[in-house]
Amino acid sequence: MTSCIFSLAPTIVRLREQGVMRRLWVTPLTRASFVASHVLFRLFIAGAQTVLLIAVASLFLDTNLMVPLLPIAAFVLLGNLNGTAISFTIAGFAKTPEVASTIANVVSIPMLLLCGVFLPLEIMPKKVLPLIWALPLTHLSESLRRLMSMQWGFRELWRSELVLAAYLIALFIISLLTFKWDKSTAGD
């Protein structure tokens, strides 16, 4: 999710700033095709990363991973779609690549620190846990952790699936409303 946010938002704004987006706008390329191409590229990268991680763990770390591949793939898909949606939302509001990078940092770094990726949720103050569980990365990281450790199955993670799907829908609607092909209309 975070690799999508850090790489995609500034790239889109840079393309818009350089006039590439305006040139694409006059072609038959639709917004949906443009978004789909970025989504598919990010999914390919995420899939390769996931396969590589599991392969390294199985081959070199002597783990007997009996991971449920389809549920993990579903959460990798949801996570990357959410990261892409966050990126397009940021790109819709940012006027320059630098601003997009700053917004991406402001969004991603707190999520990484609070969502159990670097620090366990158990050490977080109880008062902030509802806020932490409102963030999409918490649901993604905890779901992947529970699936890989075989604590829970796919059916038990329906709340996380629902939260990630709700974020995805809301963010894509916002990004479609704010997406600009031309730098003269960006940030208006």
Side-chain angles (χ1 to χ4, degrees):
M1 179 185 289
T2 55
S3 65
C4 288
I5 297 169
F6 283 124
S7 64
L8 188 55
T11 301
I12 293 168
V13 176
R14 188 172 298 107
L15 290 173
R16 185 173 57 220
E17 191 177 64
Q18 293 171 343
V20 174
M21 298 291 288
R22 183 180 177 97
R23 285 177 278 201
L24 289 174
W25 181 47
V26 297
T27 68
L29 181 72
T30 63
R31 286 182 184 184
S33 298
F34 181 75
V35 171
S37 68
H38 284 284
V39 168
L40 291 174
F41 175 71
R42 298 294 185 256
L43 286 175
F44 173 76
I45 298 296
Q49 288 173 333
T50 304
V51 168
L52 184 65
L53 257 168
I54 292 171
V56 166
S58 296
L59 294 173
F60 298 112
L61 301 176
D62 197 30
T63 58
N64 292 325
L65 287 177
M66 298 299 294
V67 295
L69 292 179
L70 287 177
I72 287 173
F75 275 102
V76 168
L77 174 70
L78 273 172
N80 277 280
L81 289 174
N82 271 282
T84 304
I86 291 169
S87 293
F88 273 93
T89 302
I90 291 169
F93 288 106
K95 289 184 179 185
T96 66
E98 293 78 18
V99 171
S101 293
T102 302
I103 296 171
N105 281 316
V106 167
V107 169
S108 296
I109 291 174
M111 267 202 302
L112 284 169
L113 293 174
L114 294 173
C115 294
V117 174
F118 293 121
L119 303 170
L121 293 177
E122 294 79 25
I123 68 167
M124 298 296 173
K126 299 270 188 249
K127 290 182 180 181
V128 295
L129 281 176
L131 170 69
I132 291 171
W133 278 102
L135 299 171
L137 189 55
T138 306
H139 291 276
L140 179 64
S141 63
E142 287 299 308
S143 296
L144 287 172
R145 187 175 292 117
R146 288 178 178 159
L147 283 170
M148 287 191 169
S149 65
M150 304 297 272
Q151 290 177 348
W152 286 10
F154 194 62
R155 288 189 184 131
E156 290 88 3
L157 297 169
W158 67 270
R159 283 187 183 98
S160 292
E161 296 166 38
L162 188 63
V163 169
L164 289 169
Y167 263 103
L168 180 62
I169 291 167
L171 288 167
F172 265 123
I173 289 171
I174 293 168
S175 65
L176 284 173
L177 294 173
T178 60
F179 185 77
K180 307 287 189 276
W181 288 99
D182 190 356
K183 68 179 175 181
S184 65
T185 59
D188 292 342

